[in-house]
Amino acid sequence: MTTITADTANTEKSPTTEKGFIALSEKTARLLATGGGALTALSAFLAWTWTTAYPGNLTVYGYPGGLQVLVLIGGILTTLFGLASYGVKGLSWLAPAGTDAAIKLSALAAFVTTWYTVVSIVVELGALVDLEPGAAFAALVSLAAVIGAFALPFKRPALEGPDPDDNDWDKFKHEAGNKWATFKASFATGPVTPAKVLPAWTEILLIAAVLGLGLLVFTYGITTAYQELFIGFLITTSFGAAALNKAGLMARLTTLTNRHRNVALVGAFAAAAAFPLTQTDDQYASLGVNILIFATVALGLNIVVGLTGLLDLGYVAFLGVGAYTAALVSGSPNSPFGVQLPFWAALLAGAAASMIFGVLIGAPTLRLRGDYLAIVTLGFGEIFRISMNNLDGVSGPDVTNGPNGVANIPNINLFGFDFGAAHTFLGFTIGRFANYFLLMLAITLIVVLVFRRSAESRIGRAWVAIREDETAAEAMGINGFRVKLIAFALGATLAGLAGVVQAHVQYTVTPDQYQFANAVPPNSAFLLAAVVLGGMGTISGPLVGGALLFLIPNKLQFLGEYQLLVFGFALIILMRLRPEGLIPNRRNQLELHDEAAAPTVLGKAGV
């Protein structure tokens, strides 16, 4: 590895191509990475342990099982990107932005998953002798692939030397910053080669294939039967998705979906609607409907935070308002009102109640800005929870049954269709949670359409103007208070819609479900994290972020009291590496990455 000293760094004017972090020739490094990837894929067909005590049955030769399937995927990706780097005919489309960064990330996917599995076998079974030779072979060849990948040359950035007047701590920080910049440069990619414009039907088929693949990945992740497999799934999908992104395939997909936006939207919801048909166990369908509820509420919060730039720390209260309203008017025996409205009326009542609360809270507080507004919204969230807790007939009127909540909420019956009963269609049996999943999916579609039309409208442009500079926007004639109040009310209304469905899905509504922060979402802290993690100002960002932030804590419950600690560290690392979010708005991406080239046309807020 070549060392860049302060003297040479000061004279350096532009990035230079040098050897990688490991001293190997480029030819050797590329061969080692590609061959190591192929052998890693082959190792998945060997036995890794002699006993079935470790979950996934890794004892069979010739048939990958459990975590071996994930290692196989990582090895195949590394091999394909390696072959594409050699210019193999038919594989150039795999890496329109270059192959080297993709090779590194896919090799890491296979390596980390392999070594996690090997170490996990030894720890859980108690001894090295529990490993079969296939495990040792897999560990060695995956290590060889990573060594080859990080020996590939890359363009080192032009670095500045330290200030002679700096103290030791400043020099240390400067050196650490230079090393971090060099490490990031090793994953840099070139511009994406424009794809050949294909016939419209071909592009639509490609979009459908990608959506089908996305459904397969989501279904695999949500149905992981044991904790080791889920952790391996997270490792493989994280590095694998990063590899596809660095290769330029994500940019190509974005181009296709922007060209056929309506088709992509319909296709995405059709793929999601197929999820319940793949399930025979209500356990995973239940998880799916709760993910949809959480993700939909996150999309509503995205109007307030992502488009308008208002920091709302009590947004979960609007979900609670909708849920409590539905619980009180849907025929629960614990309701003091004794009424049972049809579902459509309860849905409208929940949305209207949330909107009214949004206006009542927003009207006196939205003249505040920044941290002051955040504190007020946090207070509103706590006031709502405490109020619902005290309306028990002792501390206040008997309305909500206090901490016991409103229980025994009946299932939805819409036009004679009972959502609580199983139904058979075309040979598929759709259970209770699958029914609610499809209902919630329809409501999510409504929320997406409202968000999209609002973001692209005149009021949406006013929201963005307020977010960027409220003083300048008001100077240009925008009524800042009115615009912010509309955003607050609309966001609250969308949360109320989801709250109505949540009340019927869970049968019971209690105050403890709507805290600012706890170990299990939904809560205000996780909702805000979902918007920031997914990508503020976009449609797909909060949906993806919400799905991840609901699924991961549910799957990591085995960590017990350390769950939030591990989860917090993971979020810090992700935000450090990708502060703009997983699916960023183009404008935000340019603001957070100075080196990014300005596009010809900025992406719309709904992309």
Side-chain angles (χ1 to χ4, degrees), residues 16-211:
T16 58
T17 302
E18 300 184 18
K19 290 183 178 181
F21 292 104
I22 301 171
L24 294 175
S25 67
E26 180 178 356
K27 182 178 179 181
T28 303
R30 205 169 295 282
L31 180 62
L32 190 60
T34 307
L39 292 175
T40 301
L42 180 63
S43 71
F45 293 88
L46 304 177
W48 288 14
T49 181
W50 60 271
T51 173
T52 57
Y54 189 83
N57 193 13
L58 310 184
T59 65
V60 181
Y61 282 90
Y63 185 81
L67 287 158
Q68 289 175 322
V69 175
L70 301 174
V71 172
L72 174 63
I73 293 171
I76 290 175
L77 280 177
T78 307
T79 306
L80 289 176
F81 285 127
L83 293 175
S85 70
Y86 280 107
V88 175
K89 187 176 181 180
L91 292 180
S92 59
W93 61 272
L94 273 175
T99 59
D100 289 359
I103 291 174
K104 292 183 178 74
L105 290 164
S106 55
L108 279 173
F111 170 76
V112 178
T113 307
T114 301
W115 280 75
Y116 163 73
T117 306
V118 172
V119 173
S120 179
I121 291 173
V122 174
V123 171
E124 291 192 24
L125 301 185
L128 283 171
V129 295
D130 292 308
L131 295 174
E132 284 284 298
F137 177 75
L140 290 175
V141 295
S142 63
L143 177 61
V146 167
I147 291 174
F150 280 88
L152 293 172
F154 64 94
K155 289 186 177 181
R156 295 180 182 271
L159 303 175
E160 295 182 359
D163 192 319
D165 297 328
D166 285 347
N167 55 36
D168 291 341
W169 174 244
D170 289 333
K171 291 178 180 178
F172 172 77
K173 290 193 297 181
H174 181 84
E175 183 64 23
N178 282 350
K179 289 180 178 179
W180 175 246
T182 301
F183 181 75
K184 287 200 302 181
S186 69
F187 290 94
T189 59
V192 178
T193 304
K196 179 182 178 182
V197 178
L198 301 173
W201 65 269
T202 305
E203 294 183 341
I204 292 173
L205 286 179
L206 286 174
I207 293 173
V210 172
L211 291 174

Side-chain angles (χ1 to χ4, degrees), residues 254 258 261 299 302-309 447-465 467-468 531 534-543 580 583-589 601-607:
T254 301
N258 287 342
R261 296 182 69 196
L299 185 58
N302 197 26
I303 292 178
V304 179
V305 175
L307 293 182
T308 318
V447 173
V448 166
L449 292 176
V450 170
F451 182 94
R452 178 178 165 183
R453 299 297 295 176
S454 300
E456 296 177 357
S457 68
R458 181 177 180 180
I459 191 71
R461 294 193 293 273
W463 286 337
V464 174
R467 181 192 69 194
E468 296 301 322
V531 174
M536 293 191 295
T538 65
I539 290 176
S540 51
L543 294 177
E580 70 272 23
I583 306 177
N585 176 277
R586 185 60 175 160
R587 182 182 286 106
N588 294 341
Q589 192 174 31
V601 180
L602 288 173
K604 295 183 178 180
V607 175

Side-chain angles (χ1 to χ4, degrees), residues 414-431:
L414 185 61
F415 304 119
F417 185 89
D418 185 1
F419 281 79
H423 302 274
T424 302
F425 297 99
L426 302 175
F428 293 98
T429 299
I430 309 297

Side-chain angles (χ1 to χ4, degrees), residues 490-513:
L490 181 58
T493 303
L494 299 181
L497 290 176
V500 173
V501 179
Q502 184 199 42
H504 290 280
V505 169
Q506 298 184 352
Y507 288 128
T508 302
V509 179
T510 61
D512 290 340
Q513 295 173 338

Side-chain angles (χ1 to χ4, degrees), residues 435-455:
N435 293 330
Y436 280 111
F437 182 90
L438 295 173
L439 174 64
M440 191 62 221
L441 188 64
I443 292 177
T444 303
L445 178 60
I446 294 172
V447 173
V448 166
L449 292 176
V450 170
F451 182 94
R452 178 178 165 183
R453 299 297 295 176
S454 300

Side-chain angles (χ1 to χ4, degrees), residues 306-540:
L307 293 182
T308 318
L310 305 176
L311 185 56
D312 189 346
L313 298 181
Y315 188 75
V316 75
F318 298 122
L319 176 69
V321 170
Y324 265 101
T325 302
L328 293 173
V329 301
S330 295
S332 168
N334 299 116
S335 171
F337 301 125
V339 297
Q340 184 170 1
L341 299 179
F343 171 69
W344 62 267
L347 187 68
L348 293 177
S354 295
M355 180 186 67
I356 291 171
F357 270 86
V359 173
L360 291 178
I361 298 301
T365 61
L366 284 177
R367 298 188 188 279
L368 301 173
R369 297 186 187 184
D371 298 340
Y372 301 101
L373 177 62
I375 293 172
V376 170
T377 55
L378 175 61
F380 163 65
E382 288 301 295
I383 289 171
F384 168 78
R385 183 181 63 81
I386 294 172
S387 299
M388 296 301 101
N389 204 48
N390 290 337
L391 296 178
D392 57 356
V394 178
S395 302
D398 186 10
V399 179
T400 64
N401 203 25
N404 294 323
V406 183
N408 300 315
I409 302 170
N411 284 303
I412 295 174
N413 192 303
L414 185 61
F415 304 119
F417 185 89
D418 185 1
F419 281 79
H423 302 274
T424 302
F425 297 99
L426 302 175
F428 293 98
T429 299
I430 309 297
R432 176 180 184 271
F433 290 108
N435 293 330
Y436 280 111
F437 182 90
L438 295 173
L439 174 64
M440 191 62 221
L441 188 64
I443 292 177
T444 303
L445 178 60
I446 294 172
V447 173
V448 166
L449 292 176
V450 170
F451 182 94
R452 178 178 165 183
R453 299 297 295 176
S454 300
E456 296 177 357
S457 68
R458 181 177 180 180
I459 191 71
R461 294 193 293 273
W463 286 337
V464 174
I466 291 290
R467 181 192 69 194
E468 296 301 322
D469 191 327
E470 184 173 349
T471 303
E474 290 178 345
M476 296 301 294
I478 294 175
N479 188 329
F481 174 75
R482 181 177 67 87
V483 167
K484 290 190 292 185
L485 188 61
I486 292 174
F488 218 69
L490 181 58
T493 303
L494 299 181
L497 290 176
V500 173
V501 179
Q502 184 199 42
H504 290 280
V505 169
Q506 298 184 352
Y507 288 128
T508 302
V509 179
T510 61
D512 290 340
Q513 295 173 338
Y514 307 104
Q515 300 181 24
F516 169 71
N518 52 26
V520 179
N523 55 66
S524 293
F526 272 73
L527 284 169
L528 184 60
V531 174
V532 177
L533 171 69
M536 293 191 295
T538 65
I539 290 176
S540 51

